[in-house]
């Protein structure tokens, strides 16, 4: 019976770990760089020069972070489930207050 209960938990841990590793590798591999948004600033009354280069996440980098966070959520859900199952098991101690 214990084997049946541990398989879904193991699958959850493995899939979460795979998603975290894949998302992290994808995020690192997506690279960072200047992104053009097609907008401009109007500064008729100031002498301030604005930079044309904005470093932001690309769609690929954003998707990689979503995959990474999803994997982290799966891992935390598996950990919480495991802790809940461990605390829900009845104690087998014979020195409790009901036994004297």
């Amino acid at each position: 019976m214990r084997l049946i209960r541990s398989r879904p938990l193991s699958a959850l841990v493995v899939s979460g770990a795979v998603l975290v590793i894949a998302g992290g590798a994808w995020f690192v591999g997506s690279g960072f760089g200047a992104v053009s948004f097609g907008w401009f600033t109007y500064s008729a009354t100031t002498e301030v020069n604005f930079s044309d280069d904005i470093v932001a996440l690309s769609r690929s980098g954003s998707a990689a972070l979503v995959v990474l966070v999803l994997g982290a959520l799966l891992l935390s859900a598996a950990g919480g489930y495991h802790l809940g199952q461990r605390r829900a098991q009845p104690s087998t101690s014979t020195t409790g207050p009901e036994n004297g």
Side-chain angles (χ1 to χ4, degrees), residues 3-93:
L3 183 63
I4 294 172
R5 287 186 181 174
S6 67
R7 280 190 182 168
L9 186 62
S10 298
L12 197 63
V13 169
V14 168
S15 60
V18 165
L19 285 176
V20 166
I21 292 169
W26 186 11
F27 181 71
V28 170
S30 67
F32 302 97
V35 178
S36 175
F37 289 102
W39 54 272
F40 64 94
T41 57
Y42 179 73
S43 61
T45 59
T46 64
E47 296 294 326
V48 178
N49 292 329
F50 294 100
S51 173
D52 292 334
D53 294 333
I54 295 175
V55 177
L57 286 177
S58 63
R59 287 184 190 225
S60 176
S62 298
L65 283 180
V66 167
V67 169
L68 191 137
V69 168
L70 181 64
L73 286 174
L74 284 176
L75 285 174
S76 64
Y81 179 78
H82 179 67
L83 284 176
Q85 287 294 92
R86 204 171 82 188
R87 291 184 180 168
Q89 292 176 354
S91 176
T92 58
S93 174

